[in-house]
Amino acid sequence: MKKIKFFLSFLVILTVQMSCYAPRRSLPQTTPLPVEVKAPSLTLRGEKYQFIIQTSPLVTCHTGVAFWDTSNNWVFEEFPTIQANSLGVCEWNWEVPVQALDGAAAFRGFVENENESTDLMPVTFCIEVEDCE
């Protein structure tokens, strides 16, 4: 009888330990998507400028420009989402609105594929003034 109790106790302890066991799941190592941003440093209201992201081919690019307007609102103008071409280039043309205030603006967004995404560090540029920091 003592042997049965000992065996049952051992079996209960083993069962509890097994139920608490969680298999380790290893996540694959991923490298962030490469991103190089080209944006103007100075822009003028009413003029068109080009914004370019160099990344991997066929990556989806989501971006836009943020700036202060004449009503003191922080405005984010979203650019159309596009897929990078075979060279990994996404590009947009943007006309600086006449209601944009002088000062700092920012080009921001992210790029992604089916496995990963990389945020862009906001790239600051100036509207109408050379030193807007």
Side-chain angles (χ1 to χ4, degrees), residues 43 65-68 74 94 103-107 123-127 132:
T43 61
V65 170
F67 60 92
W68 290 101
W74 184 244
W94 181 65
F107 177 63
V123 176
T124 303
F125 62 95
C126 300
I127 297 176
C132 61

Side-chain angles (χ1 to χ4, degrees), residues 86-97:
S86 61
L87 299 174
V89 175
C90 294
E91 60 184 274
W92 302 264
N93 290 311
W94 181 65
E95 184 175 331
V96 181

Side-chain angles (χ1 to χ4, degrees), residues 13-94:
I13 291 171
L14 182 63
T15 304
V16 169
Q17 285 183 342
M18 288 181 66
S19 67
C20 293
Y21 172 76
R24 288 188 182 182
R25 198 173 119 197
S26 64
L27 298 174
Q29 290 283 353
T30 59
T31 304
L33 294 168
V35 176
E36 181 183 331
V37 176
K38 295 176 185 168
S41 58
L42 174 64
T43 61
L44 303 173
R45 282 187 289 281
E47 299 291 322
K48 283 191 177 183
Y49 296 90
Q50 192 171 55
F51 293 82
I52 299 171
I53 295 176
Q54 178 70 53
T55 185
S56 298
L58 307 178
V59 166
T60 303
C61 301
H62 308 269
T63 61
V65 170
F67 60 92
W68 290 101
D69 70 6
T70 53
S71 300
N72 278 335
N73 294 315
W74 184 244
V75 177
F76 183 73
E77 285 192 8
E78 190 171 347
F79 293 165
T81 297
I82 60 173
Q83 190 173 49
N85 64 22
S86 61
L87 299 174
V89 175
C90 294
E91 60 184 274
W92 302 264
N93 290 311
W94 181 65

